[in-house]
Amino acid sequence: MTSWIRWQDSPWPSPDDGGSLWRPWGGEVLTLISRGSTNKEAAKLLFISEATVKTHLVHAYAKLGVKDRAAAVATAFARGLLGG
């Protein structure tokens, strides 16, 4: 597994693109989760706390209109927010 993912390499919209719903870490967290990372693994890779990972996921669920991580990943893939 990659030890660090740079924002520039992410398929998520840039935080500078004006209308983006995504903040950089929220997109990175969901990208890692979609690749099978646990919250703890995502936290370690992104140098943030596990609680922060959970917060980003809750915000992503709300923005995607879903209630859990599986639905969030599926919806993000369907909307083209995660690379296939």
Side-chain angles (χ1 to χ4, degrees), residues 61 68-75:
Y61 300 165
D68 60 52
R69 66 197 293 132
V73 169
T75 300

Side-chain angles (χ1 to χ4, degrees), residues 3-47:
S3 62
W4 178 250
I5 296 176
R6 295 180 313 156
W7 175 252
Q8 303 90 296
D9 298 333
S10 172
W12 290 75
S14 164
D16 299 325
D17 83 5
S20 174
L21 289 175
W22 303 105
R23 294 207 165 114
W25 293 117
E28 294 294 345
V29 167
L30 197 54
T31 296
L32 289 169
I33 298 305
S34 76
R35 294 177 182 167
S37 294
T38 63
N39 290 355
K40 186 174 186 174
E41 291 167 338
K44 183 177 179 182
L45 291 169
L46 295 173
F47 302 100

